[in-house]
Amino acid sequence: MKELMGSRELIKAAILDNDFMKNLELTQIREIVDCMYPVTFSAGSTIIREGDVGSIVYVMEEGKVEVSRDGKYLSTLAPGKVLGELAILYNCKRTATITAATDCQLWAIDRQCFQTIMMRTGLSRQAEYTDFLKSVPIFKNLPEETLIKISDVLEETFYNNGDYIIRQGARGDTFFIISRGQVRVTIKQPDTPEEKYIRTLSKGDFFGEKALQGDDLRTANIIADDPEGVSCLVIDRETFNQLISSLDEIRTRYKDELVERRRLNEEFRDLRLQDLRPLATLGVGGFGRVELVQIAGDSSRSFALKQMKKAQIVETRQQQHIMSEKRIMGEADCDFVVKLFKTFKDRKYLYMLMEACLGGELWTVLRDKGHFDDGTTRFYTACVVEAFDYLHSRNIIYRDLKPENLLLDSQGYVKLVDFGFAKRLDHGRKTWTFCGTPEYVAPEVILNKGHDISADYWSLGVLMFELLTGTPPFTGGDPMKTYNIILKGIDAIEFPRSITRNATALIKKLCRDNPAERLGYQKGGISEIQKHKWFDGFNWEGLRARTLEPPIMPRVQNATDTTNFDEYPPDSDPPPPDDISGWDNDF
């Protein structure tokens, strides 16, 4: 038993010493320690092999291991170290080889177990906090979505036995709910130093609620009265007011576009894959490629046809993402989102017929210019804000913002493309999938806390920084280093002098560590971003009406290169092992 206790302490110490895992909550660390199991490796055996796909993280208890990359020795590690922690975040290849230099005793946990712990602890904490809030009169009539948002900003604060949490006569703007322990309520007696005992409050009780409604003079003393100390959930008036005013109002500035979408879908209803004529290759990627095509007999307009290998989609388990992309893009009707008109499939490929954006990726323009000035960045950021306004008002989270996913149309306006990570959320709920480009991932995604549309506002701040400087603010030599830099926060990043004061202020308000504190997510919604000083004088109506002059006119891609193109007729190769049903049904 004593040995097991020693092992548990060593695992806990190793986790707290790890740059990434030390950011987890103590309750989560305790559960991780409980779920770890012992494994042994004899001297000379390989624990982790570079290039393998990993799902297990280890803590070393006994022995020594050697770390190498590309066959070159890097270092020797002794007990008390965490090995391979990136594998618990997502399905990725190992970046180094770790070999047992001596007989080794390790403790292990796999990604599924880790993520289950993170999700369960997050959801149970959220349920506990919202239950507390429902018992408070000023909260009880608020919608569930609002209570969840308030529960996200509650901060747990610890007080030692005998500490004054509130002192009578003092001014204060904070409200408290007791989450552990009990407190004593007393009031001062006139003409005597003695305090009169009023009552004792315990777990689930609350105090200081008048401070949220503007009455900031404390009328009693609240003293921690528990040998093991008292924990309270705390929220201040400013945070409360930011969240409370209109959280339950769903923004519906956009008209119902269903009629227009139905017209579009009707127009392409009878179109077949064989009716399309290739003009040029627009791009080649991991899943396939994108071709510029025209409909036979109609040379007045062109389209982009995205071609994806079914076998590769199945192999990488992307069926769900690809169906979600089809559904979301097939319903969307926004000038700042690439439109999807029709889908097809044959034995080997899935196809998406989309709006053609012949100005190419914004990333290419950024790479050629190095960085953009304030006005150019403002225009492209505003296009993304409009796209987010459209998506978020429909509870759709995008999750893959980066310059490569912003396409320029022939006029020079930006449109969002690639909705593989987009997801429609239930109202007021979170999602737990780890996804996104490392430099753009929000801290709550890295820490498996559950995330919602507020993760998109974080990535908007990162995009602004990259457009203004040419490089994202958070970059490391490998994904894990990048994640650890992200967890240190935006305030640890040095801003170049070329970024204006107002741009810096907006980026820092978008990249707040606490998702509930980000601009765009609070009571004014996304209009708070549009009203920020950095956008002073910007013509939002002109942007929506597409009457603004874009800052850069794109070089429209040549549409005559028909080289290196495969024809579409169905081939005779065997189909992949698992077909993707429902792909070519109507939207």
Side-chain angles (χ1 to χ4, degrees):
M1 188 67 184
K2 193 180 278 187
E3 268 183 38
L4 187 59
M5 288 297 290
S7 298
R8 291 168 63 86
E9 287 306 311
L10 178 132
I11 296 168
K12 185 178 168 187
I15 289 171
L16 290 171
D17 185 48
N18 180 268
D19 281 345
F20 161 59
M21 295 185 78
K22 70 182 181 188
N23 294 284
L24 305 179
E25 293 171 15
L26 281 173
T27 52
Q28 292 167 334
I29 290 172
R30 274 198 291 271
E31 285 211 36
I32 289 166
V33 172
D34 285 345
C35 286
M36 292 192 94
Y37 57 91
V39 287
T40 56
F41 289 90
S42 55
S45 58
T46 302
I47 300 168
I48 289 173
R49 181 178 278 104
E50 184 179 357
D52 283 359
V53 173
S55 64
I56 295 174
V57 65
Y58 301 95
V59 172
M60 260 188 78
E61 183 175 29
E62 288 175 14
K64 284 184 180 176
V65 299
E66 289 184 353
V67 185
S68 61
R69 186 174 291 139
D70 298 326
K72 291 177 186 157
Y73 167 84
L74 294 178
S75 62
T76 299
L77 299 179
K81 291 292 178 190
V82 175
L83 312 176
E85 64 269 40
L86 192 59
I88 53 172
L89 294 183
Y90 58 92
N91 203 30
C92 61
K93 288 184 178 176
R94 301 291 198 179
T95 57
T97 294
I98 297 179
T99 310
T102 65
D103 289 350
C104 292
Q105 172 77 47
L106 298 96
W107 291 82
I109 186 170
D110 65 37
R111 178 170 59 248
Q112 192 172 358
C113 183
F114 170 79
Q115 293 187 341
T116 301
I117 289 169
M118 301 303 290
M119 187 172 175
R120 190 179 63 241
T121 53
L123 287 173
S124 64
R125 185 182 62 245
Q126 186 185 82
E128 184 183 12
Y129 285 11
T130 49
D131 280 349
F132 280 154
L133 293 170
K134 284 173 186 169
S135 67
V136 181
I138 60 168
F139 294 135
K140 70 178 180 188
N141 293 322
L142 294 176
E144 185 85 2
E145 176 197 5
T146 308
L147 293 176
I148 288 169
K149 284 196 176 184
I150 294 171
S151 77
D152 283 344
V153 295
L154 290 172
E155 291 190 6
E156 189 145 11
T157 310
F158 179 79
Y159 302 92
N160 290 311
N161 193 27
D163 283 354
Y164 274 70
I165 300 170
I166 284 179
R167 206 173 277 274
Q168 186 177 345
R171 298 201 170 274
D173 66 351
T174 41
F175 164 73
F176 303 80
I177 303 172
I178 302 167
S179 57
R180 197 173 77 237
Q182 60 179 36
V183 301
R184 192 168 71 252
V185 184
T186 68
I187 55 171
K188 285 180 190 166
Q189 301 278 61
D191 308 322
T192 170
E194 293 298 314
E195 293 178 9
K196 182 183 177 186
Y197 168 79
I198 303 298
R199 62 179 173 275
T200 295
L201 302 176
S202 54
K203 181 176 176 175
D205 289 330
F206 55 89
F207 51 91
E209 67 275 20
K210 287 182 180 172
L212 296 183
Q213 297 163 312
D215 185 358
D216 63 355
L217 203 63
R218 303 298 196 182
T219 56
N221 299 302
I222 308 284
I223 306 153
D225 189 21
D226 194 303
E228 293 184 10
V230 175
S231 288
C232 291
L233 306 176
V234 183
I235 186 173
D236 62 67
R237 188 190 306 141
E238 186 187 355
T239 306
F240 176 74
N241 286 336
Q242 283 284 8
L243 285 171
I244 213 66
S245 291
S246 58
L247 280 179
D248 48 334
E249 293 172 17
I250 302 166
R251 299 177 307 286
T252 51
R253 182 167 57 73
Y254 284 94
K255 298 194 298 281
D256 185 358
E257 316 86 356
L258 280 175
V259 174
E260 174 63 18
R261 268 313 313 197
R262 284 196 190 110
R263 188 191 63 73
L264 273 177
N265 297 345
E266 190 67 25
E267 182 185 349
F268 293 95
R269 190 184 64 185
D270 298 324
L271 186 70
R272 298 168 307 155
L273 191 59
Q274 290 86 339
D275 298 331
L276 301 175
R277 296 289 171 262
L279 298 176
T281 299
L282 293 176
V284 179
F287 279 101
R289 62 198 203 189
V290 182
E291 305 291 349
L292 185 67
V293 299
Q294 283 181 341
I295 298 171
D298 180 5
S299 58
S300 65
R301 55 185 179 162
S302 56
F303 304 88
L305 185 73
K306 186 176 178 180
Q307 170 185 331
M308 300 164 288
K309 295 171 189 160
K310 280 201 256 186
Q312 203 164 348
I313 292 166
V314 172
E315 189 184 319
T316 53
R317 299 180 184 173
Q318 295 297 311
Q319 296 99 312
Q320 205 175 339
H321 282 163
I322 211 93
M323 291 305 292
S324 175
E325 178 174 24
K326 175 202 161 168
R327 200 160 43 247
I328 288 168
M329 288 187 76
E331 291 170 3
D333 189 20
C334 169
D335 283 336
F336 301 95
V337 171
V338 170
K339 286 186 179 64
L340 171 65
F341 300 120
K342 180 85 176 170
T343 57
F344 311 95
K345 69 179 178 184
D346 59 25
R347 291 167 69 83
K348 270 177 77 174
Y349 298 102
L350 301 181
Y351 302 88
M352 299 171 84
L353 185 70
M354 299 183 290
E355 197 176 358
C357 293
L358 297 177
E361 293 174 1
L362 185 62
W363 181 84
T364 309
V365 184
L366 179 62
R367 182 195 58 198
D368 293 345
K369 292 196 172 290
H371 64 89
F372 298 142
D373 60 27
D374 220 40
T376 304
T377 301
R378 190 178 292 113
F379 177 86
Y380 294 136
T381 304
C383 290
V384 176
V385 167
E386 286 295 301
F388 279 178
D389 190 7
Y390 179 88
L391 295 169
H392 293 173
S393 66
R394 288 153 182 75
N395 285 333
I396 295 167
I397 179 175
Y398 178 62
R399 297 197 290 190
D400 203 16
L401 187 63
K402 54 184 172 181
E404 294 92 321
N405 284 344
L406 297 173
L407 297 186
L408 291 163
D409 64 15
S410 53
Q411 282 182 272
Y413 281 73
V414 147
K415 293 175 186 268
L416 275 187
V417 72
D418 200 341
F419 279 70
F421 290 150
K423 184 174 184 178
R424 193 184 299 277
L425 299 177
D426 290 335
H427 212 51
R429 300 295 171 188
K430 291 187 168 71
T431 182
W432 302 80
T433 316
F434 190 102
C435 61
T437 300
E439 291 80 5
Y440 277 77
V441 172
E444 65 272 21
V445 179
I446 298 168
L447 293 173
N448 265 272
K449 287 184 169 181
H451 58 277
D452 57 15
I453 59 168
S454 136
D456 281 342
Y457 296 125
W458 170 280
S459 65
L460 185 68
V462 175
L463 179 77
M464 272 183 67
F465 190 102
E466 180 167 6
L467 296 184
L468 288 165
T469 66
T471 315
F474 310 103
T475 51
D478 59 54
M480 204 70 236
K481 287 194 174 79
T482 299
Y483 299 142
N484 287 330
I485 294 166
I486 289 169
L487 295 177
K488 289 189 175 105
I490 194 72
D491 290 333
I493 300 299
E494 195 173 328
F495 278 59
R497 288 190 175 178
S498 58
I499 301 187
T500 63
R501 193 162 49 87
N502 285 335
T504 298
L506 178 52
I507 291 167
K508 290 193 171 186
K509 284 189 171 182
L510 290 167
C511 292
R512 294 293 292 266
D513 288 342
N514 188 330
E517 293 175 0
R518 288 175 201 149
L519 203 67
Y521 193 69
Q522 299 181 312
K523 67 177 180 183
I526 207 161
S527 67
E528 295 290 314
I529 297 173
Q530 294 161 331
K531 289 189 286 193
H532 190 272
K533 277 183 185 162
W534 189 61
F535 280 112
D536 276 358
F538 184 77
N539 185 354
W540 289 97
E541 288 309 315
L543 182 80
R544 289 167 199 142
R546 298 174 75 79
T547 56
L548 278 190
E549 178 88 20
I552 298 170
M553 283 310 293
R555 293 193 299 274
V556 174
Q557 294 185 28
N558 177 19
T560 57
D561 171 26
T562 56
T563 59
N564 198 19
F565 187 82
D566 293 334
E567 283 295 338
Y568 301 127
D571 51 70
S572 57
D573 286 357
D578 181 13
D579 206 353
I580 294 147
S581 59
W583 178 257
D584 53 356
N585 296 345
D586 288 340
F587 296 131

